[in-house]
Amino acid sequence: MRRRVRTAWLFLAPMLFTLAVVAGWPFLRTVYYGFTDASLADLDARQWVGFDNYFSVLRLPSGRVLYNGLLVDPVWWRAVWNTVRFAVVSVACETVLGMVVALALNAEFPGRGIVRAAILVPWAIPTIVSAKMWQWMLNDQFGIINVVLLNLGLIHDKIAWTASADTAMIAVLIVDIWKSTPFMALLILAALQMLPREILEVAKLDGANPWQIFWRVTLPLIRPAVMVAVIFRALDALRIFDLIYVLTPNNVQTKSMSIFARENLFEFDKFAYGSAASTLLFLIIGLLTIAYIRIGRLSFDGER
């Protein structure tokens, strides 16, 4: 057993070293910069300011008190709300739709292999390409989406999907669900393929209908795999950047935590403030993930 453990660490060492250099060191530097007044123009001239980027109190000679920092920044909290709302809605829809697609692909029918390959095309397309493609399709002047809806009589005027405050988030959700549903379907399909056929056949012999088989047999057996798939997808959704940045640039209604951090890091020349936002982004994602695992009583060793 000791030899196996030593061999395992020996094989893991290169990966762990690379991960520490590529991800660990930049992350620690980001956390450090969040406690300074660093500017992108001259990072070496930074001064330690403690928690001022997160919360600070300024008392004016007039007696007025000003509160500054991320924890009292309404723009930051709006970005947090946008990100969490996007993650919850998108992951929920993708899980339901992915389940439906996986159940359909798990059935026996001619050409199933071709359909399985075709369903992965949206997920295989790079996010930037998908965003630009949908940006043209959702254009309010010549986009095909408005043309189709007008011809069907579902709308009476053209809609600026990515520019309107009422529809910008809907547009982002539509594109993300279209792109990421195949990913969820692929993971759920893999879990379905691992189910023992004998259990399903016994349920049929006992007189259970398809809905009862799914709800009482299939779903409980694939639940751990579904929850892991939800975690993977939620992590992607909570750090969403490229899709929103391309599809709805400079839109307050869809600004995510990653967009907020990037703006302060590079566009507003508030490098320390952006570093603090990046640190909070990491903490929020970590806390939400831990809470999900605890609430769902998920164990990665296969036990509940």
mmCIF file of all heavy atoms in Angstrom, residues 120-169:
data_model
loop_
_atom_site.group_PDB
_atom_site.id
_atom_site.type_symbol
_atom_site.label_atom_id
_atom_site.label_comp_id
_atom_site.label_asym_id
_atom_site.label_seq_id
_atom_site.Cartn_x
_atom_site.Cartn_y
_atom_site.Cartn_z
ATOM 1 N N LEU A 120 -23.897 17.006 -30.456
ATOM 2 C CA LEU A 120 -22.749 17.624 -29.797
ATOM 3 C C LEU A 120 -22.198 18.828 -30.556
ATOM 4 O O LEU A 120 -21.296 19.509 -30.053
ATOM 5 C CB LEU A 120 -21.625 16.595 -29.613
ATOM 6 C CG LEU A 120 -21.926 15.428 -28.669
ATOM 7 C CD1 LEU A 120 -20.753 14.460 -28.661
ATOM 8 C CD2 LEU A 120 -22.195 15.935 -27.258
ATOM 9 N N VAL A 121 -22.731 19.088 -31.746
ATOM 10 C CA VAL A 121 -22.204 20.191 -32.555
ATOM 11 C C VAL A 121 -22.290 21.543 -31.837
ATOM 12 O O VAL A 121 -21.306 22.295 -31.815
ATOM 13 C CB VAL A 121 -22.922 20.241 -33.916
ATOM 14 C CG1 VAL A 121 -22.550 21.506 -34.683
ATOM 15 C CG2 VAL A 121 -22.560 19.008 -34.739
ATOM 16 N N PRO A 122 -23.426 21.925 -31.227
ATOM 17 C CA PRO A 122 -23.452 23.229 -30.531
ATOM 18 C C PRO A 122 -22.415 23.348 -29.436
ATOM 19 O O PRO A 122 -21.824 24.420 -29.248
ATOM 20 C CB PRO A 122 -24.885 23.277 -29.957
ATOM 21 C CG PRO A 122 -25.675 22.373 -30.836
ATOM 22 C CD PRO A 122 -24.740 21.270 -31.205
ATOM 23 N N TRP A 123 -22.179 22.255 -28.704
ATOM 24 C CA TRP A 123 -21.195 22.290 -27.625
ATOM 25 C C TRP A 123 -19.773 22.359 -28.179
ATOM 26 O O TRP A 123 -18.892 22.973 -27.571
ATOM 27 C CB TRP A 123 -21.364 21.049 -26.747
ATOM 28 C CG TRP A 123 -20.390 20.975 -25.620
ATOM 29 C CD1 TRP A 123 -20.180 21.891 -24.630
ATOM 30 C CD2 TRP A 123 -19.466 19.911 -25.363
ATOM 31 N NE1 TRP A 123 -19.202 21.467 -23.769
ATOM 32 C CE2 TRP A 123 -18.742 20.246 -24.198
ATOM 33 C CE3 TRP A 123 -19.195 18.696 -25.991
ATOM 34 C CZ2 TRP A 123 -17.770 19.418 -23.661
ATOM 35 C CZ3 TRP A 123 -18.222 17.868 -25.452
ATOM 36 C CH2 TRP A 123 -17.529 18.243 -24.291
ATOM 37 N N ALA A 124 -19.545 21.772 -29.349
ATOM 38 C CA ALA A 124 -18.205 21.742 -29.928
ATOM 39 C C ALA A 124 -17.812 23.091 -30.531
ATOM 40 O O ALA A 124 -16.622 23.379 -30.672
ATOM 41 C CB ALA A 124 -18.110 20.648 -30.987
ATOM 42 N N ILE A 125 -18.785 23.913 -30.907
ATOM 43 C CA ILE A 125 -18.476 25.218 -31.494
ATOM 44 C C ILE A 125 -17.877 26.117 -30.413
ATOM 45 O O ILE A 125 -18.432 26.229 -29.321
ATOM 46 C CB ILE A 125 -19.754 25.858 -32.068
ATOM 47 C CG1 ILE A 125 -20.307 25.006 -33.204
ATOM 48 C CG2 ILE A 125 -19.466 27.269 -32.583
ATOM 49 C CD1 ILE A 125 -21.624 25.514 -33.761
ATOM 50 N N PRO A 126 -16.749 26.790 -30.694
ATOM 51 C CA PRO A 126 -16.173 27.707 -29.693
ATOM 52 C C PRO A 126 -17.180 28.774 -29.270
ATOM 53 O O PRO A 126 -18.013 29.226 -30.058
ATOM 54 C CB PRO A 126 -14.985 28.323 -30.439
ATOM 55 C CG PRO A 126 -14.632 27.318 -31.486
ATOM 56 C CD PRO A 126 -15.923 26.667 -31.896
ATOM 57 N N THR A 127 -17.085 29.161 -27.997
ATOM 58 C CA THR A 127 -18.062 30.097 -27.440
ATOM 59 C C THR A 127 -18.070 31.423 -28.187
ATOM 60 O O THR A 127 -19.140 32.007 -28.429
ATOM 61 C CB THR A 127 -17.760 30.344 -25.953
ATOM 62 O OG1 THR A 127 -17.751 29.097 -25.259
ATOM 63 C CG2 THR A 127 -18.806 31.249 -25.331
ATOM 64 N N ILE A 128 -16.899 31.924 -28.572
ATOM 65 C CA ILE A 128 -16.829 33.194 -29.289
ATOM 66 C C ILE A 128 -17.570 33.092 -30.616
ATOM 67 O O ILE A 128 -18.317 34.006 -31.003
ATOM 68 C CB ILE A 128 -15.361 33.600 -29.522
ATOM 69 C CG1 ILE A 128 -14.629 33.744 -28.194
ATOM 70 C CG2 ILE A 128 -15.291 34.890 -30.320
ATOM 71 C CD1 ILE A 128 -15.185 34.835 -27.312
ATOM 72 N N VAL A 129 -17.379 31.983 -31.312
ATOM 73 C CA VAL A 129 -18.062 31.785 -32.597
ATOM 74 C C VAL A 129 -19.574 31.711 -32.385
ATOM 75 O O VAL A 129 -20.348 32.307 -33.136
ATOM 76 C CB VAL A 129 -17.531 30.518 -33.289
ATOM 77 C CG1 VAL A 129 -18.286 30.262 -34.589
ATOM 78 C CG2 VAL A 129 -16.038 30.643 -33.556
ATOM 79 N N SER A 130 -20.002 30.973 -31.369
ATOM 80 C CA SER A 130 -21.433 30.872 -31.072
ATOM 81 C C SER A 130 -22.023 32.236 -30.748
ATOM 82 O O SER A 130 -23.120 32.579 -31.209
ATOM 83 C CB SER A 130 -21.661 29.915 -29.904
ATOM 84 O OG SER A 130 -21.216 28.614 -30.209
ATOM 85 N N ALA A 131 -21.302 33.016 -29.946
ATOM 86 C CA ALA A 131 -21.804 34.336 -29.557
ATOM 87 C C ALA A 131 -21.958 35.252 -30.766
ATOM 88 O O ALA A 131 -22.968 35.949 -30.901
ATOM 89 C CB ALA A 131 -20.873 34.960 -28.528
ATOM 90 N N LYS A 132 -20.960 35.268 -31.656
ATOM 91 C CA LYS A 132 -21.052 36.116 -32.846
ATOM 92 C C LYS A 132 -22.159 35.645 -33.776
ATOM 93 O O LYS A 132 -22.875 36.461 -34.365
ATOM 94 C CB LYS A 132 -19.714 36.121 -33.584
ATOM 95 C CG LYS A 132 -18.569 36.780 -32.830
ATOM 96 C CD LYS A 132 -18.873 38.239 -32.522
ATOM 97 C CE LYS A 132 -18.952 39.104 -33.759
ATOM 98 N NZ LYS A 132 -19.148 40.532 -33.421
ATOM 99 N N MET A 133 -22.305 34.341 -33.915
ATOM 100 C CA MET A 133 -23.362 33.800 -34.769
ATOM 101 C C MET A 133 -24.743 34.203 -34.256
ATOM 102 O O MET A 133 -25.589 34.689 -35.013
ATOM 103 C CB MET A 133 -23.236 32.276 -34.824
ATOM 104 C CG MET A 133 -24.321 31.587 -35.634
ATOM 105 S SD MET A 133 -24.096 29.796 -35.621
ATOM 106 C CE MET A 133 -24.443 29.424 -33.899
ATOM 107 N N TRP A 134 -24.967 34.039 -32.951
ATOM 108 C CA TRP A 134 -26.243 34.413 -32.366
ATOM 109 C C TRP A 134 -26.426 35.925 -32.335
ATOM 110 O O TRP A 134 -27.559 36.426 -32.381
ATOM 111 C CB TRP A 134 -26.369 33.831 -30.968
ATOM 112 C CG TRP A 134 -26.820 32.412 -30.964
ATOM 113 C CD1 TRP A 134 -26.037 31.296 -30.974
ATOM 114 C CD2 TRP A 134 -28.169 31.951 -30.971
ATOM 115 N NE1 TRP A 134 -26.808 30.174 -30.978
ATOM 116 C CE2 TRP A 134 -28.133 30.539 -30.975
ATOM 117 C CE3 TRP A 134 -29.411 32.588 -30.968
ATOM 118 C CZ2 TRP A 134 -29.278 29.765 -30.979
ATOM 119 C CZ3 TRP A 134 -30.560 31.812 -30.959
ATOM 120 C CH2 TRP A 134 -30.493 30.422 -30.971
ATOM 121 N N GLN A 135 -25.343 36.670 -32.255
ATOM 122 C CA GLN A 135 -25.454 38.131 -32.286
ATOM 123 C C GLN A 135 -26.049 38.596 -33.606
ATOM 124 O O GLN A 135 -26.880 39.516 -33.638
ATOM 125 C CB GLN A 135 -24.071 38.752 -32.074
ATOM 126 C CG GLN A 135 -24.097 40.257 -31.839
ATOM 127 C CD GLN A 135 -22.706 40.809 -31.584
ATOM 128 O OE1 GLN A 135 -21.754 40.471 -32.299
ATOM 129 N NE2 GLN A 135 -22.570 41.637 -30.567
ATOM 130 N N TRP A 136 -25.635 37.965 -34.689
ATOM 131 C CA TRP A 136 -26.229 38.287 -35.988
ATOM 132 C C TRP A 136 -27.671 37.808 -36.070
ATOM 133 O O TRP A 136 -28.544 38.518 -36.575
ATOM 134 C CB TRP A 136 -25.401 37.640 -37.108
ATOM 135 C CG TRP A 136 -24.131 38.352 -37.410
ATOM 136 C CD1 TRP A 136 -22.886 38.058 -36.921
ATOM 137 C CD2 TRP A 136 -23.967 39.500 -38.248
ATOM 138 N NE1 TRP A 136 -21.959 38.937 -37.410
ATOM 139 C CE2 TRP A 136 -22.583 39.836 -38.231
ATOM 140 C CE3 TRP A 136 -24.828 40.272 -39.016
ATOM 141 C CZ2 TRP A 136 -22.062 40.902 -38.946
ATOM 142 C CZ3 TRP A 136 -24.318 41.338 -39.737
ATOM 143 C CH2 TRP A 136 -22.946 41.653 -39.699
ATOM 144 N N MET A 137 -27.946 36.630 -35.563
ATOM 145 C CA MET A 137 -29.310 36.086 -35.627
ATOM 146 C C MET A 137 -30.287 36.902 -34.786
ATOM 147 O O MET A 137 -31.474 37.009 -35.120
ATOM 148 C CB MET A 137 -29.301 34.631 -35.159
ATOM 149 C CG MET A 137 -28.542 33.684 -36.064
ATOM 150 S SD MET A 137 -28.342 32.037 -35.365
ATOM 151 C CE MET A 137 -30.056 31.540 -35.204
ATOM 152 N N LEU A 138 -29.801 37.497 -33.682
ATOM 153 C CA LEU A 138 -30.663 38.270 -32.784
ATOM 154 C C LEU A 138 -30.673 39.765 -33.108
ATOM 155 O O LEU A 138 -31.300 40.540 -32.376
ATOM 156 C CB LEU A 138 -30.201 38.071 -31.335
ATOM 157 C CG LEU A 138 -30.360 36.663 -30.759
ATOM 158 C CD1 LEU A 138 -29.634 36.540 -29.429
ATOM 159 C CD2 LEU A 138 -31.837 36.315 -30.587
ATOM 160 N N ASN A 139 -29.989 40.147 -34.192
ATOM 161 C CA ASN A 139 -29.963 41.565 -34.564
ATOM 162 C C ASN A 139 -31.363 42.094 -34.800
ATOM 163 O O ASN A 139 -32.196 41.424 -35.420
ATOM 164 C CB ASN A 139 -29.102 41.752 -35.814
ATOM 165 C CG ASN A 139 -28.890 43.207 -36.152
ATOM 166 O OD1 ASN A 139 -29.732 43.828 -36.805
ATOM 167 N ND2 ASN A 139 -27.774 43.756 -35.706
ATOM 168 N N ASP A 140 -31.645 43.312 -34.297
ATOM 169 C CA ASP A 140 -33.006 43.837 -34.380
ATOM 170 C C ASP A 140 -33.391 44.281 -35.780
ATOM 171 O O ASP A 140 -34.593 44.383 -36.081
ATOM 172 C CB ASP A 140 -33.170 45.013 -33.406
ATOM 173 C CG ASP A 140 -32.171 46.113 -33.681
ATOM 174 O OD1 ASP A 140 -31.030 45.786 -34.058
ATOM 175 O OD2 ASP A 140 -32.524 47.289 -33.514
ATOM 176 N N GLN A 141 -32.432 44.515 -36.669
ATOM 177 C CA GLN A 141 -32.755 45.011 -38.004
ATOM 178 C C GLN A 141 -32.853 43.893 -39.032
ATOM 179 O O GLN A 141 -33.805 43.853 -39.819
ATOM 180 C CB GLN A 141 -31.693 46.026 -38.444
ATOM 181 C CG GLN A 141 -31.637 47.271 -37.582
ATOM 182 C CD GLN A 141 -32.952 48.033 -37.600
ATOM 183 O OE1 GLN A 141 -33.611 48.151 -38.633
ATOM 184 N NE2 GLN A 141 -33.356 48.546 -36.437
ATOM 185 N N PHE A 142 -31.879 42.990 -39.047
ATOM 186 C CA PHE A 142 -31.866 41.955 -40.089
ATOM 187 C C PHE A 142 -31.668 40.552 -39.517
ATOM 188 O O PHE A 142 -31.340 39.635 -40.252
ATOM 189 C CB PHE A 142 -30.768 42.244 -41.117
ATOM 190 C CG PHE A 142 -29.464 42.658 -40.509
ATOM 191 C CD1 PHE A 142 -28.593 41.731 -39.959
ATOM 192 C CD2 PHE A 142 -29.116 43.999 -40.457
ATOM 193 C CE1 PHE A 142 -27.400 42.117 -39.394
ATOM 194 C CE2 PHE A 142 -27.913 44.390 -39.889
ATOM 195 C CZ PHE A 142 -27.046 43.457 -39.363
ATOM 196 N N GLY A 143 -31.843 40.379 -38.215
ATOM 197 C CA GLY A 143 -31.682 39.059 -37.610
ATOM 198 C C GLY A 143 -32.814 38.120 -37.972
ATOM 199 O O GLY A 143 -33.989 38.523 -38.061
ATOM 200 N N ILE A 144 -32.474 36.849 -38.186
ATOM 201 C CA ILE A 144 -33.473 35.870 -38.615
ATOM 202 C C ILE A 144 -34.487 35.560 -37.514
ATOM 203 O O ILE A 144 -35.628 35.175 -37.802
ATOM 204 C CB ILE A 144 -32.765 34.583 -39.099
ATOM 205 C CG1 ILE A 144 -33.761 33.666 -39.791
ATOM 206 C CG2 ILE A 144 -32.094 33.874 -37.931
ATOM 207 C CD1 ILE A 144 -33.110 32.446 -40.418
ATOM 208 N N ILE A 145 -34.096 35.731 -36.257
ATOM 209 C CA ILE A 145 -35.025 35.437 -35.159
ATOM 210 C C ILE A 145 -36.236 36.352 -35.227
ATOM 211 O O ILE A 145 -37.388 35.894 -35.128
ATOM 212 C CB ILE A 145 -34.314 35.584 -33.801
ATOM 213 C CG1 ILE A 145 -33.115 34.635 -33.706
ATOM 214 C CG2 ILE A 145 -35.292 35.325 -32.659
ATOM 215 C CD1 ILE A 145 -33.462 33.174 -33.798
ATOM 216 N N ASN A 146 -36.020 37.648 -35.427
ATOM 217 C CA ASN A 146 -37.141 38.584 -35.540
ATOM 218 C C ASN A 146 -37.981 38.295 -36.770
ATOM 219 O O ASN A 146 -39.216 38.426 -36.735
ATOM 220 C CB ASN A 146 -36.616 40.022 -35.596
ATOM 221 C CG ASN A 146 -36.311 40.574 -34.217
ATOM 222 O OD1 ASN A 146 -36.932 40.201 -33.233
ATOM 223 N ND2 ASN A 146 -35.328 41.464 -34.140
ATOM 224 N N VAL A 147 -37.330 37.915 -37.870
ATOM 225 C CA VAL A 147 -38.075 37.617 -39.099
ATOM 226 C C VAL A 147 -39.019 36.435 -38.882
ATOM 227 O O VAL A 147 -40.195 36.470 -39.261
ATOM 228 C CB VAL A 147 -37.089 37.327 -40.250
ATOM 229 C CG1 VAL A 147 -37.847 36.842 -41.485
ATOM 230 C CG2 VAL A 147 -36.285 38.572 -40.589
ATOM 231 N N VAL A 148 -38.508 35.383 -38.255
ATOM 232 C CA VAL A 148 -39.327 34.191 -38.011
ATOM 233 C C VAL A 148 -40.488 34.516 -37.067
ATOM 234 O O VAL A 148 -41.647 34.133 -37.315
ATOM 235 C CB VAL A 148 -38.462 33.061 -37.434
ATOM 236 C CG1 VAL A 148 -39.337 31.887 -36.988
ATOM 237 C CG2 VAL A 148 -37.445 32.592 -38.463
ATOM 238 N N LEU A 149 -40.209 35.240 -35.986
ATOM 239 C CA LEU A 149 -41.265 35.572 -35.029
ATOM 240 C C LEU A 149 -42.310 36.500 -35.627
ATOM 241 O O LEU A 149 -43.509 36.371 -35.335
ATOM 242 C CB LEU A 149 -40.635 36.207 -33.781
ATOM 243 C CG LEU A 149 -39.724 35.306 -32.947
ATOM 244 C CD1 LEU A 149 -39.134 36.074 -31.774
ATOM 245 C CD2 LEU A 149 -40.488 34.079 -32.446
ATOM 246 N N LEU A 150 -41.888 37.418 -36.478
ATOM 247 C CA LEU A 150 -42.847 38.301 -37.151
ATOM 248 C C LEU A 150 -43.733 37.518 -38.112
ATOM 249 O O LEU A 150 -44.949 37.733 -38.169
ATOM 250 C CB LEU A 150 -42.106 39.411 -37.900
ATOM 251 C CG LEU A 150 -41.528 40.547 -37.057
ATOM 252 C CD1 LEU A 150 -40.632 41.443 -37.902
ATOM 253 C CD2 LEU A 150 -42.641 41.375 -36.419
ATOM 254 N N ASN A 151 -43.148 36.599 -38.862
ATOM 255 C CA ASN A 151 -43.922 35.797 -39.803
ATOM 256 C C ASN A 151 -44.909 34.872 -39.092
ATOM 257 O O ASN A 151 -45.989 34.566 -39.622
ATOM 258 C CB ASN A 151 -42.993 34.977 -40.692
ATOM 259 C CG ASN A 151 -42.209 35.847 -41.665
ATOM 260 O OD1 ASN A 151 -42.636 36.947 -42.006
ATOM 261 N ND2 ASN A 151 -41.047 35.365 -42.098
ATOM 262 N N LEU A 152 -44.541 34.422 -37.906
ATOM 263 C CA LEU A 152 -45.445 33.566 -37.132
ATOM 264 C C LEU A 152 -46.490 34.368 -36.367
ATOM 265 O O LEU A 152 -47.395 33.782 -35.754
ATOM 266 C CB LEU A 152 -44.636 32.710 -36.147
ATOM 267 C CG LEU A 152 -43.720 31.647 -36.765
ATOM 268 C CD1 LEU A 152 -42.915 30.938 -35.690
ATOM 269 C CD2 LEU A 152 -44.541 30.627 -37.561
ATOM 270 N N GLY A 153 -46.364 35.670 -36.357
ATOM 271 C CA GLY A 153 -47.305 36.517 -35.645
ATOM 272 C C GLY A 153 -47.112 36.547 -34.144
ATOM 273 O O GLY A 153 -47.991 36.995 -33.410
ATOM 274 N N LEU A 154 -45.950 36.084 -33.665
ATOM 275 C CA LEU A 154 -45.699 36.057 -32.226
ATOM 276 C C LEU A 154 -45.275 37.424 -31.689
ATOM 277 O O LEU A 154 -45.423 37.693 -30.490
ATOM 278 C CB LEU A 154 -44.624 35.021 -31.898
ATOM 279 C CG LEU A 154 -44.986 33.564 -32.268
ATOM 280 C CD1 LEU A 154 -43.833 32.634 -31.948
ATOM 281 C CD2 LEU A 154 -46.248 33.125 -31.536
ATOM 282 N N ILE A 155 -44.718 38.262 -32.541
ATOM 283 C CA ILE A 155 -44.381 39.638 -32.171
ATOM 284 C C ILE A 155 -44.880 40.571 -33.255
ATOM 285 O O ILE A 155 -45.112 40.154 -34.397
ATOM 286 C CB ILE A 155 -42.853 39.820 -31.968
ATOM 287 C CG1 ILE A 155 -42.103 39.496 -33.262
ATOM 288 C CG2 ILE A 155 -42.350 38.965 -30.825
ATOM 289 C CD1 ILE A 155 -40.606 39.770 -33.178
ATOM 290 N N HIS A 156 -45.079 41.830 -32.909
ATOM 291 C CA HIS A 156 -45.579 42.818 -33.865
ATOM 292 C C HIS A 156 -44.508 43.829 -34.278
ATOM 293 O O HIS A 156 -44.657 44.488 -35.313
ATOM 294 C CB HIS A 156 -46.775 43.566 -33.263
ATOM 295 C CG HIS A 156 -47.908 42.663 -32.878
ATOM 296 N ND1 HIS A 156 -48.716 42.017 -33.807
ATOM 297 C CD2 HIS A 156 -48.362 42.253 -31.658
ATOM 298 C CE1 HIS A 156 -49.624 41.282 -33.185
ATOM 299 N NE2 HIS A 156 -49.432 41.406 -31.871
ATOM 300 N N ASP A 157 -43.471 43.965 -33.480
ATOM 301 C CA ASP A 157 -42.364 44.865 -33.803
ATOM 302 C C ASP A 157 -41.049 44.135 -33.573
ATOM 303 O O ASP A 157 -40.955 43.230 -32.733
ATOM 304 C CB ASP A 157 -42.419 46.132 -32.931
ATOM 305 C CG ASP A 157 -43.690 46.929 -33.168
ATOM 306 O OD1 ASP A 157 -43.948 47.300 -34.324
ATOM 307 O OD2 ASP A 157 -44.422 47.164 -32.175
ATOM 308 N N LYS A 158 -40.036 44.566 -34.288
ATOM 309 C CA LYS A 158 -38.720 43.976 -34.124
ATOM 310 C C LYS A 158 -38.167 44.280 -32.730
ATOM 311 O O LYS A 158 -38.368 45.368 -32.207
ATOM 312 C CB LYS A 158 -37.757 44.499 -35.197
ATOM 313 C CG LYS A 158 -38.122 44.032 -36.607
ATOM 314 C CD LYS A 158 -37.111 44.545 -37.625
ATOM 315 C CE LYS A 158 -37.440 44.014 -39.014
ATOM 316 N NZ LYS A 158 -36.479 44.507 -40.037
ATOM 317 N N ILE A 159 -37.482 43.300 -32.167
ATOM 318 C CA ILE A 159 -36.962 43.417 -30.800
ATOM 319 C C ILE A 159 -35.438 43.480 -30.845
ATOM 320 O O ILE A 159 -34.785 42.690 -31.526
ATOM 321 C CB ILE A 159 -37.395 42.209 -29.942
ATOM 322 C CG1 ILE A 159 -38.925 42.129 -29.874
ATOM 323 C CG2 ILE A 159 -36.805 42.301 -28.540
ATOM 324 C CD1 ILE A 159 -39.430 40.904 -29.149
ATOM 325 N N ALA A 160 -34.886 44.438 -30.121
ATOM 326 C CA ALA A 160 -33.429 44.529 -29.977
ATOM 327 C C ALA A 160 -33.018 43.605 -28.827
ATOM 328 O O ALA A 160 -32.840 44.033 -27.680
ATOM 329 C CB ALA A 160 -33.006 45.960 -29.716
ATOM 330 N N TRP A 161 -32.861 42.346 -29.134
ATOM 331 C CA TRP A 161 -32.696 41.330 -28.110
ATOM 332 C C TRP A 161 -31.491 41.581 -27.207
ATOM 333 O O TRP A 161 -31.596 41.449 -25.985
ATOM 334 C CB TRP A 161 -32.549 39.947 -28.766
ATOM 335 C CG TRP A 161 -33.785 39.468 -29.431
ATOM 336 C CD1 TRP A 161 -34.118 39.599 -30.750
ATOM 337 C CD2 TRP A 161 -34.883 38.789 -28.815
ATOM 338 N NE1 TRP A 161 -35.354 39.047 -30.999
ATOM 339 C CE2 TRP A 161 -35.835 38.535 -29.835
ATOM 340 C CE3 TRP A 161 -35.145 38.362 -27.516
ATOM 341 C CZ2 TRP A 161 -37.037 37.871 -29.568
ATOM 342 C CZ3 TRP A 161 -36.340 37.693 -27.262
ATOM 343 C CH2 TRP A 161 -37.269 37.459 -28.271
ATOM 344 N N THR A 162 -30.364 41.931 -27.784
ATOM 345 C CA THR A 162 -29.141 42.076 -26.991
ATOM 346 C C THR A 162 -28.925 43.478 -26.448
ATOM 347 O O THR A 162 -28.020 43.694 -25.635
ATOM 348 C CB THR A 162 -27.914 41.691 -27.839
ATOM 349 O OG1 THR A 162 -27.857 42.544 -28.991
ATOM 350 C CG2 THR A 162 -28.007 40.242 -28.284
ATOM 351 N N ALA A 163 -29.735 44.434 -26.877
ATOM 352 C CA ALA A 163 -29.563 45.822 -26.430
ATOM 353 C C ALA A 163 -30.626 46.253 -25.432
ATOM 354 O O ALA A 163 -30.390 47.132 -24.607
ATOM 355 C CB ALA A 163 -29.566 46.776 -27.622
ATOM 356 N N SER A 164 -31.794 45.644 -25.492
ATOM 357 C CA SER A 164 -32.883 46.033 -24.603
ATOM 358 C C SER A 164 -32.635 45.510 -23.189
ATOM 359 O O SER A 164 -32.184 44.372 -22.992
ATOM 360 C CB SER A 164 -34.217 45.496 -25.136
ATOM 361 O OG SER A 164 -35.259 45.720 -24.213
ATOM 362 N N ALA A 165 -32.956 46.337 -22.209
ATOM 363 C CA ALA A 165 -32.785 45.926 -20.813
ATOM 364 C C ALA A 165 -33.700 44.771 -20.443
ATOM 365 O O ALA A 165 -33.395 43.981 -19.545
ATOM 366 C CB ALA A 165 -33.037 47.116 -19.890
ATOM 367 N N ASP A 166 -34.837 44.648 -21.128
ATOM 368 C CA ASP A 166 -35.809 43.607 -20.797
ATOM 369 C C ASP A 166 -35.453 42.255 -21.397
ATOM 370 O O ASP A 166 -35.911 41.217 -20.904
ATOM 371 C CB ASP A 166 -37.201 44.019 -21.284
ATOM 372 C CG ASP A 166 -37.699 45.287 -20.598
ATOM 373 O OD1 ASP A 166 -37.346 45.490 -19.423
ATOM 374 O OD2 ASP A 166 -38.427 46.072 -21.247
ATOM 375 N N THR A 167 -34.678 42.245 -22.458
ATOM 376 C CA THR A 167 -34.422 40.984 -23.170
ATOM 377 C C THR A 167 -32.950 40.583 -23.228
ATOM 378 O O THR A 167 -32.641 39.504 -23.723
ATOM 379 C CB THR A 167 -34.958 41.090 -24.615
ATOM 380 O OG1 THR A 167 -34.318 42.201 -25.275
ATOM 381 C CG2 THR A 167 -36.462 41.295 -24.619
ATOM 382 N N ALA A 168 -32.047 41.425 -22.743
ATOM 383 C CA ALA A 168 -30.618 41.110 -22.844
ATOM 384 C C ALA A 168 -30.266 39.817 -22.117
ATOM 385 O O ALA A 168 -29.590 38.937 -22.666
ATOM 386 C CB ALA A 168 -29.789 42.275 -22.303
ATOM 387 N N MET A 169 -30.736 39.670 -20.890
ATOM 388 C CA MET A 169 -30.446 38.461 -20.135
ATOM 389 C C MET A 169 -31.114 37.245 -20.769
ATOM 390 O O MET A 169 -30.548 36.139 -20.783
ATOM 391 C CB MET A 169 -30.893 38.616 -18.687
ATOM 392 C CG MET A 169 -30.616 37.406 -17.805
ATOM 393 S SD MET A 169 -28.856 36.953 -17.705
ATOM 394 C CE MET A 169 -28.239 38.248 -16.619
#
